[in-house]
Amino acid sequence: MKQRIENIRNVAIIAHVDHGKTTLVDQMLRQSGIFRSNQVVQERVMDSGDIERERGITILSKNTAVHYGDTKINIIDTPGHADFGGEVERVLKMVDGVVLVVDAFEGPMPQTKFVLRKALELNHPVVVCVNKVDRPEARPADVVDEVLELFMELDANDDQLDSPFVFASARGGYASEDPEAREGDMKPLFEAIINHIPAPEGDVEAPLQALISTIDYSEYVGRIGVGKIENGTIHVNDEVVVLNMHNTETQKKVRITKLYEFDGLQRVEVKEASVGSIVALSGIEDIMIGDTICSPLKPEALPFVKISEPTISMTFSVNDSPFAGTEGKFVTSRHLRDRLYKELNTDVSLRVEDTDSMDALKVSGRGELHLSILIETLRREGYEFQVSKPEVLFQEIDGKKCEPMEAVTIDVPEEFVGNVIEKLGGRKGEMTNMYPAKGGYTRLEFSIPARGLIGYRSEFMTDTKGNGILNSVFDGYEPYKGEIPTRSQGSLVAFESGEAITYGLYNAQERGDLFIGAGVKVYEGMIVGRNARADDMDINVCKKKQLTNTRSSGSDEALRLTPPIQMSLEQCMEFISDDELLEVTPVSLRMRKRILDCNQRRKFRIHGK
């Protein structure tokens, strides 16, 4: 017989990127007494990865639990960026409701709409937290109206339209039902969760059913499955059956060796767990996301959300440049292949496929950021490799070639509106909405092919002088929109190997913008700058001044060089074209031509071989 487990609440915190949900979870942890009064705790404690902390974004969903009175609240902190939407989709199956965090100035953004739609599709109750009410430009009343409009747009039911609103400052550590409050604690938010998020339901006496929604990995115990117990009770050393709804033939018996529940930031070993609990299981070698852990008496798989397919791919291959093997620790194809397949243990949205070449693998993900985070992670671990230009993945639907589309929201000062509309129009973008935002900004909404955004973000920052905000979210597939012009500027390519000299660079900078300074080692075929014109140009940056009786090499010091442009990983990925590669090492990022020899490149352009 089904019953409610009243002393448990399972809730996910969802929001658009940078709306403050991780800081909000910090305050909930602090005010629930998880930390000692004298304990030093870093900010955004849930963002445990180095890259997460540096970039200020959540990449992986994380579990924690707090106690409020007699109730245990299991909290899942989810990513806010669209490229990690796969993380959000599946963890929503573990919870019974969500806290939607919305910035009191920005209001609902594209990712707000994406994650809220997923929650409403599962009929989850929602508690809306309007965060950052202490911002000078905050407009909480307008944001409440915008959130309610979004609920209606997404066909929310009557109960969801009656969602409670809580106004908070995660940084200030207070929440209130009054948008004017500027002090207090998080008690109103805890109360809203207890009162409006339902307790989990299930049959304690029924055969066991637990749905695995997340995979963790440990070097010591291997794969760890994290999921919610829907029915029954699980004990350490129980013999269970593993089933998968999407692959019904796989049915194997295993034994549970260790069982954990979450308490604060820790995983605590327990002997048994029952309905409504979110648990972590180890001892199951090939456990996958979407698996159901069942009792052998009645093995029955639970339905699981189908994870959205990747939309973009890159080729990862062994570094074969003249500098190969000089800066990395792991440089062989075996190292690269093993590491990429290991990533599949925890990243459900990633695809890795072998190619015709033994030295290359096709890696597909949900977007440029998704793949750039993977590349950055590998280089920090000591891997050296090279990657190709990102390419979108087309699909054939009803006999038509279709491509992934993005819904783009842009906030930009009024003087740059015309430039943005012109640029996106040239990239097959269609403007769907335009209206004035606060503070002299205009909000533009576009529907644009995903390939139209490749290479645009850095151009956008230049066009708006750093004042524009661009957000995008996957918006389904539509028929192919036709050719999109590639980048308008060519590459400056090193003509010979050696060390860049001031004299050579001085002559080269007249041709365009340089990416390197004096003293940098280069090789033939390496990209050293961006040409002012559309075609590529071979230049000699190693050229030295010829010495005579009246001229000395020391006069080089009088030559003034423009500081080189420092390209980030994402900017390099956006810049390279089809005939170019990005060489990635723990120390350097170098762009290069696929064919290094300039004569062979010329022959290939003319004869195609």
Side-chain angles (χ1 to χ4, degrees):
M1 184 178 131
K2 280 199 169 187
Q3 62 187 77
R4 283 183 179 271
I5 315 301
E6 292 294 344
N7 62 342
I8 295 178
R9 295 292 185 277
N10 297 320
V11 64
I13 312 283
I14 59 175
H16 183 80
V17 65
D18 204 29
H19 278 198
K21 72 190 145 35
T22 302
T23 309
L24 191 74
V25 175
D26 266 12
Q27 285 294 347
M28 293 173 78
L29 285 166
R30 290 172 194 274
Q31 296 192 24
S32 64
I34 290 294
F35 307 121
R36 300 188 313 273
S37 57
N38 63 341
Q39 186 172 346
V40 177
V41 183
Q42 61 187 3
E43 285 186 13
R44 291 185 292 111
V45 68
M46 294 293 284
D47 282 347
S48 51
D50 289 342
I51 298 175
E52 290 181 313
R53 300 193 64 76
E54 286 170 21
R55 299 192 182 209
I57 58 173
T58 302
I59 296 169
L60 299 172
S61 59
K62 313 212 176 40
N63 293 69
T64 185
V66 301
H67 292 271
Y68 182 75
D70 297 329
T71 306
K72 180 180 183 181
I73 305 174
N74 287 307
I75 301 171
I76 304 175
D77 181 20
T78 63
H81 198 283
D83 284 15
F84 307 107
E87 290 276 321
V88 181
E89 289 173 59
R90 66 174 191 266
V91 299
L92 289 178
K93 295 288 286 184
M94 269 198 282
V95 299
D96 304 295
V98 298
V99 174
L100 176 69
V101 181
V102 184
D103 189 294
F105 170 67
E106 293 184 358
M109 296 294 278
Q111 186 70 0
T112 315
K113 184 176 181 179
F114 173 81
V115 292
L116 182 60
R117 179 189 283 124
K118 297 291 181 186
L120 296 181
E121 284 172 0
L122 293 167
N123 288 320
H124 282 333
V126 182
V127 171
V128 182
C129 177
V130 180
N131 190 26
K132 304 186 184 180
V133 291
D134 54 343
R135 285 181 68 168
E137 64 273 47
R139 47 187 191 94
D142 294 339
V143 169
V144 169
D145 292 340
E146 290 169 14
V147 172
L148 289 172
E149 284 173 16
L150 182 59
F151 272 109
M152 289 186 281
E153 183 188 334
L154 297 176
D155 294 326
N157 60 38
D158 291 343
D159 289 338
Q160 290 163 336
L161 284 169
D162 285 336
S163 298
F165 282 79
V166 176
F167 303 89
S169 167
R171 191 175 62 177
Y174 58 83
S176 173
E177 294 179 2
D178 176 13
E180 301 301 320
R182 293 294 179 268
E183 60 182 10
D185 54 26
M186 284 289 164
K187 185 176 178 183
L189 180 59
F190 284 121
E191 293 287 348
I193 291 172
I194 300 294
N195 295 332
H196 294 279
I197 304 296
E201 277 187 1
D203 189 345
V204 179
E205 305 299 326
L208 171 69
Q209 280 182 307
L211 181 63
I212 301 300
S213 301
T214 307
I215 297 291
D216 204 348
Y217 188 80
S218 162
E219 294 290 344
Y220 303 103
V221 298
R223 292 164 80 87
I224 299 169
V226 179
K228 177 181 160 192
I229 301 175
E230 302 287 348
N231 289 301
T233 304
I234 190 168
H235 304 82
V236 176
N237 292 326
D238 273 359
E239 193 174 68
V240 295
V241 172
V242 181
L243 292 174
N244 192 298
M245 183 191 171
H246 299 298
N247 188 7
T248 50
E249 294 175 10
T250 57
Q251 182 170 334
K252 57 181 180 182
K253 283 191 175 181
V254 295
R255 191 174 295 278
I256 303 297
T257 57
K258 284 191 184 295
L259 182 65
Y260 306 90
E261 284 189 1
F262 294 91
D263 189 17
L265 300 175
Q266 308 297 320
R267 273 201 295 254
V268 181
E269 263 193 72
V270 294
K271 295 295 182 186
E272 65 174 86
S274 191
V275 170
S277 295
I278 292 178
V279 295
L281 313 165
S282 66
I284 305 173
E285 192 174 315
D286 298 318
I287 194 166
M288 295 293 293
I289 287 166
D291 284 349
T292 304
I293 309 299
C294 313
S295 164
L297 302 174
K298 189 184 177 185
E300 189 177 325
L302 291 165
F304 187 70
V305 62
K306 193 173 186 304
I307 301 300
S308 300
E309 291 296 310
T311 58
I312 210 162
S313 73
M314 299 174 77
T315 302
F316 284 51
S317 56
V318 172
N319 185 14
D320 60 3
S321 83
F323 295 169
T326 58
E327 296 175 351
K329 184 179 176 184
F330 306 109
V331 297
T332 67
S333 59
R334 180 178 61 82
H335 283 138
L336 185 62
R337 177 175 276 100
D338 289 350
R339 178 61 183 84
L340 287 171
Y341 276 106
K342 181 184 172 187
E343 188 68 18
L344 297 178
N345 287 333
T346 52
D347 192 342
V348 71
S349 301
L350 197 71
R351 300 281 183 277
V352 179
E353 305 163 58
D354 288 316
T355 63
D356 296 337
S357 168
M358 289 292 291
D359 292 338
L361 295 131
K362 181 182 177 183
V363 180
S364 307
R366 289 286 289 267
E368 278 182 278
L369 182 66
H370 185 194
L371 294 179
S372 74
I373 293 290
L374 173 62
I375 293 168
E376 182 65 35
T377 302
L378 294 188
R379 74 181 288 225
R380 291 186 183 206
E381 292 174 5
Y383 287 83
E384 183 178 311
F385 53 98
Q386 57 193 17
V387 296
S388 68
K389 176 185 174 66
E391 296 177 349
V392 300
L393 297 170
F394 298 102
Q395 286 191 4
E396 191 165 307
I397 302 172
D398 298 330
K400 287 185 179 178
K401 181 182 179 182
C402 294
E403 63 178 326
M405 300 294 291
E406 298 274 335
V408 177
T409 301
I410 292 173
D411 287 327
V412 68
E414 290 168 7
E415 65 262 34
F416 304 121
V417 167
N419 201 347
V420 170
I421 293 173
E422 182 186 346
K423 288 284 179 70
L424 287 182
R427 291 169 174 266
K428 305 294 184 185
E430 296 176 12
M431 190 163 67
T432 56
N433 204 352
M434 173 180 173
Y435 53 91
K438 295 286 180 180
Y441 276 66
T442 300
R443 178 163 291 185
L444 308 172
E445 295 178 2
F446 285 85
S447 175
I448 185 170
R451 62 196 166 96
L453 284 180
I454 294 175
Y456 177 66
R457 290 176 194 273
S458 53
E459 197 177 318
F460 171 76
M461 294 310 289
T462 304
D463 290 346
T464 61
K465 297 181 180 175
N467 292 307
I469 301 169
L470 185 153
N471 291 286
S472 65
V473 64
F474 175 66
D475 194 32
Y477 282 82
E478 288 186 15
Y480 181 65
K481 301 291 182 183
E483 287 296 319
I484 294 176
T486 52
R487 73 181 195 215
S488 58
Q489 292 176 289
S491 301
L492 298 177
V493 186
F495 179 72
E496 67 176 18
S497 302
E499 190 174 292
I501 303 294
T502 304
Y503 182 71
L505 291 170
Y506 182 76
N507 290 323
Q509 73 182 8
E510 296 175 2
R511 309 294 184 187
D513 304 313
L514 293 176
F515 298 153
I516 63 165
V520 175
K521 289 184 177 178
V522 299
Y523 53 79
E524 182 183 2
M526 180 172 152
I527 296 169
V528 294
R530 179 171 54 207
N531 194 1
R533 297 183 177 181
D535 52 348
D536 296 338
M537 182 181 292
D538 294 312
I539 58 171
N540 189 356
V541 292
C542 305
K543 184 178 181 181
K544 295 181 180 178
K545 182 190 291 186
Q546 296 302 315
L547 306 184
T548 66
N549 290 334
T550 55
R551 296 190 334 199
S552 69
S553 62
S555 60
D556 275 6
E557 294 167 10
L559 302 178
R560 295 196 168 216
L561 292 179
T562 305
I565 297 171
Q566 300 293 327
M567 298 279 276
S568 68
L569 173 60
E570 281 86 0
Q571 288 172 324
C572 290
M573 287 168 59
E574 291 175 355
F575 180 80
I576 57 175
S577 61
D578 295 332
D579 67 334
E580 295 167 353
L581 296 169
L582 172 60
E583 179 186 348
V584 180
T585 78
V587 179
S588 311
L589 295 170
R590 301 185 190 94
M591 292 176 285
R592 51 160 286 192
K593 289 292 182 182
R594 284 181 187 269
I595 303 171
L596 297 178
D597 185 274
C598 65
N599 293 321
Q600 288 183 13
R601 271 203 312 279
R602 202 170 290 119
K603 284 179 186 174
F604 184 83
R605 273 202 304 270
I606 297 169
H607 303 294
K609 60 181 180 180

